[in-house]
Amino acid sequence: MVFSSITFLFFFLPAVLLLNGCSRGRGSNVLLLVASLLFYAWGEGIYLLVMLASILGNFAAGLLIDRCRLTTAGRAALGLGVGLNLVLLGFFKYATFLVDNLNQLLALVGLPAVALAPVHLPIGISFFTFQAISYLMDVHRGTVRAQRNPLDLGLFIALFPQLIAGPIVRYHDIAAEIVRRRVTSVDFAAGAERFIYGLAKKVLLANPLGLVADKIFALPVAELSPALCWLGALCYTFQIYYDFSGYSDMAIGLGRMFGFHFLENFNYPYIAASIRDFWRRWHISLSSWLRDYVYIPLGGNRGGAVRTAANLWAVFFLCGLWHGAAWTFVAWGLFHGFFLVIERSPLGRLLDRLWLPLRHLLTLVVVVAGWVMFRSETLAEALAFLGIMAGFDPVPGGRYPVAMYLDRKILVELALAACLSLPLFPLVRRRGREIIDGFGRPWQHIVAAGAEAGRIALLGTLVYCTWISLAAGVYNPFIYFRF
């Protein structure tokens, strides 16, 4: 079940909101835990047992770590708990990948292949496993006390708003709200509004642009033109942003509707002036997780230039592998790691002196090239695609005209996607408040009422358009199946 499905929007969510409104105190936690487990079981069935095993295992590990903290036994318990989480993630997500690569090596030396039946990848396992690891690490560091109620820890790990597509929520950020929270009308309204904006991003921008990207990436690479490759790359660049940030908006909005306040996960990443700046703005919950639980423990930037570079490469190797069990994801992670190392070198200091718009452009080119690696099925396909984008056109003009995929509707959607990737909305809101404040008291109320009416009209229009699109059965992929 996904947020942009009819089942979720018109049956599951209204029922849970209604029941939650009738619940009080600890009953709300039990309701949300049951709803979250049902939400997960709807699509994963028997693999719900994997999540339950994770909840029980981390509950026991947290208690043991808390009891023996700062002792050898406590450190051993931490190692065991983190190790079990990684084994769980490694088996379900990487077993097939590892065996496939091992069999290629065995074939080279004439040895028989290793047989392994296909291993199902439980949706969202990367998210809830990383959340569990952060919980154990925070208990070990003394940031939080271990949870004594397994149902409350289960709610933290399984909470359905952020279960399958993030953001990665840390226990200490919502520990107090798990125990005691209050849903106000202001929070509920703000959450519903945020959810609508996120749903509109997903349905009205990410889906149609993703359809074009999928069609182009499915064509034989050698028969593409540079213009068509750039169109496919740009459509995917906007698809993954509006899909991922849209899901984060929906998760944050749902959280507020149930009394939880999740941290922001995106901050206009396509306006970044460097790759470092990009990672401060893109998937903030993952980049901060990797910083706090991998990069800093490895030594961060405290061991000199060579050690810092090695740490960055290690972190972004892990970042790439976290996104999917394929060499294209590893290459994407190392690609970003390479530019982060460059930016910390003397060459990076020269780049910092460039004209700011040029730095924005260079950063965007790097990001788009990285998304080509991320989207491609193989490294060879990615390199061929990038080569054509760079002008190395094996079939001059290609065999597929751009006009086949670039109509007026897609042009409008691309223009909207480009505009909304800029911080124009906060600017308009801030400027609007300044204008309202500049009027005298009688006019302030009139102008403010007009602005409020416009906001409500916009929300109503977005609800209507998304409903029409979903009812029409438009292309509505779930791109986090690898997570």
Side-chain angles (χ1 to χ4, degrees), residues 193 197 268 419-420 422-432 455 458:
E193 181 177 346
Y197 286 138
Y268 298 100
C419 289
L420 294 175
L422 304 174
L424 299 179
F425 188 70
L427 178 64
V428 170
R429 177 180 290 178
R430 185 170 61 251
R431 183 58 181 156
R455 185 178 67 86
L458 173 61

Side-chain angles (χ1 to χ4, degrees), residues 426-446:
L427 178 64
V428 170
R429 177 180 290 178
R430 185 170 61 251
R431 183 58 181 156
R433 287 173 181 166
E434 292 173 356
I435 292 173
I436 291 173
D437 291 342
F439 284 96
R441 185 175 295 272
W443 288 100
Q444 281 184 350
H445 296 297
I446 296 174

Side-chain angles (χ1 to χ4, degrees), residues 102 190 249 348:
L102 175 61
D249 286 341

Side-chain angles (χ1 to χ4, degrees), residues 240-481:
I240 195 167
Y241 171 57
Y242 285 107
D243 205 301
F244 210 167
S245 68
Y247 260 100
S248 291
D249 286 341
M250 286 187 274
I252 292 168
L254 286 171
R256 292 193 70 172
M257 293 164 74
F258 290 106
F260 293 97
H261 294 78
F262 303 149
L263 299 180
E264 293 296 332
N265 206 27
F266 289 86
N267 182 23
Y268 298 100
Y270 292 159
I271 68 168
S274 67
I275 298 301
R276 271 185 297 178
D277 190 23
F278 174 79
W279 279 101
R280 295 188 191 104
R281 297 171 176 275
W282 176 272
H283 202 348
I284 299 168
S285 63
L286 174 62
S287 56
S288 62
W289 193 100
L290 291 170
R291 179 197 64 209
D292 294 343
Y293 299 110
V294 181
Y295 181 66
I296 292 176
L298 284 174
N301 58 1
R302 299 189 301 273
V306 174
R307 179 66 181 273
T308 299
N311 291 341
L312 285 169
W313 280 84
V315 166
F316 276 86
F317 172 83
L318 176 62
C319 178
L321 204 57
W322 181 87
H323 282 86
W327 289 114
T328 49
F329 293 109
V330 173
W332 170 79
L334 295 177
F335 180 73
H336 276 263
F338 169 78
F339 283 99
L340 286 168
V341 170
I342 290 296
E343 288 179 359
R344 288 181 174 273
S345 70
L347 178 58
R349 288 189 284 275
L350 292 177
L351 292 173
D352 288 341
R353 298 174 184 172
L354 293 176
W355 184 40
L356 183 59
L358 181 58
R359 286 162 51 201
H360 284 299
L361 178 60
L362 291 174
T363 301
L364 192 57
V365 168
V366 170
V367 169
V368 171
W371 289 137
V372 171
M373 296 183 191
F374 195 92
R375 175 60 180 78
S376 299
E377 295 296 325
T378 65
L379 284 175
E381 178 184 309
L383 292 174
F385 202 99
L386 289 170
I388 295 172
M389 289 173 65
F392 301 102
D393 192 358
V395 180
R399 296 186 180 179
Y400 302 92
V402 176
M404 289 179 61
Y405 304 94
L406 187 62
D407 56 21
R408 184 175 301 174
K409 176 176 176 291
I410 294 299
L411 275 173
V412 171
E413 289 162 347
L414 278 172
L416 278 173
C419 289
L420 294 175
S421 69
L422 304 174
L424 299 179
F425 188 70
L427 178 64
V428 170
R429 177 180 290 178
R430 185 170 61 251
R431 183 58 181 156
R433 287 173 181 166
E434 292 173 356
I435 292 173
I436 291 173
D437 291 342
F439 284 96
R441 185 175 295 272
W443 288 100
Q444 281 184 350
H445 296 297
I446 296 174
V447 176
E452 182 66 12
R455 185 178 67 86
I456 293 173
L458 173 61
L459 289 170
T461 301
L462 292 178
V463 169
Y464 174 78
C465 291
T466 52
W467 160 240
I468 291 298
S469 296
L470 292 173
V474 295
Y475 178 72
N476 189 26
F478 181 72
I479 64 175
Y480 311 108
F481 65 95

Side-chain angles (χ1 to χ4, degrees), residues 6 47 107 178 187 210 252 296:
I6 299 295
Y47 291 94
I178 288 177
D187 264 350
I252 292 168
I296 292 176

